[in-house]
């Protein structure tokens, strides 16, 4: 990128997206997913655009300093589909926290299924995994 291109990009790209790859997931019920992410991970809804026929066309939530975009699948969502229609997911979201066990317990209390407990070891990034109706989540 040239200096002119960088300056032009900086002028139009919001700070929250500037140095990030922002995941955008399509789900079956965005409102329920947002509620789950709020209860499980302390997410904050930053933006919501309701679809004309019901549901949510596009929403953005923040978990810590990270942004996650999500929306309902439907007639306007092609070629996207929900993880449950695939029989699984190809997406894993990672949240780095000082107490992964506490976060896993909070996610489980919010409705997540714990798939893999965090092993006891000295590695700070040893993961635990959970499944929600929307996406598989990992915490380290």
């Amino acid at each position: 990128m040239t200096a002119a291109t960088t300056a032009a990009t900086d002028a139009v790209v919001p700070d929250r997206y500037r140095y990030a790859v922002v995941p955008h997931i399509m789900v079956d019920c965005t409102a329920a997913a947002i509620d789950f992410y709020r209860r499980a991970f302390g997410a904050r809804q930053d933006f919501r655009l309701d679809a004309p026929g019901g549901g949510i066309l596009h929403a953005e939530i923040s978990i810590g300093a990270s942004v996650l975009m999500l929306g309902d699948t439907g007639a306007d969502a092609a070629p996207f589909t929900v993880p449950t229609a695939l029989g699984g997911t190809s997406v894993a979201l990672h949240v780095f926290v000082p107490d992964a066990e506490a976060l896993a317990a909070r996610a489980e209390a919010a409705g997540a299924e714990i798939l893999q407990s965090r092993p006891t070891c000295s590695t700070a990034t040893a993961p635990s995994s959970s499944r929600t109706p929307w996406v598989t989540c990992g915490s380290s």
Side-chain angles (χ1 to χ4, degrees):
M1 293 175 75
T2 66
T5 303
T6 301
T9 300
D10 285 350
V12 298
V13 177
D15 284 340
R16 61 192 268 139
Y17 308 139
R18 188 153 299 154
Y19 302 105
V21 173
V22 180
H24 189 160
I25 60 172
M26 303 305 289
V27 298
D28 206 10
C29 183
T30 300
I34 291 170
D35 183 58
F36 169 79
Y37 291 129
R38 180 188 54 76
R39 290 181 291 119
F41 305 114
R44 179 186 72 239
Q45 181 177 291
D46 299 318
F47 178 81
R48 177 178 172 154
L49 179 61
D50 291 323
I56 298 174
L57 186 63
H58 179 80
E60 297 180 14
I61 62 174
S62 295
I63 299 174
S66 298
V67 175
L68 174 65
M69 296 179 180
L70 57 165
D72 285 317
T73 56
D76 296 334
F80 303 106
T81 190
V82 295
T84 52
L86 301 172
T89 183
S90 62
V91 174
L93 304 175
H94 296 266
V95 181
F96 292 86
V97 296
D99 189 347
E101 288 84 6
L103 183 64
R106 183 174 170 177
E108 186 173 28
E113 174 190 357
I114 302 302
L115 300 174
Q116 175 187 19
S117 295
R118 181 183 169 135
T120 304
C121 65
S122 61
T123 305
T125 60
S128 65
S129 296
S130 61
R131 178 175 37 224
T132 72
W134 305 281
V135 71
T136 298
C137 303
S139 62
S140 299

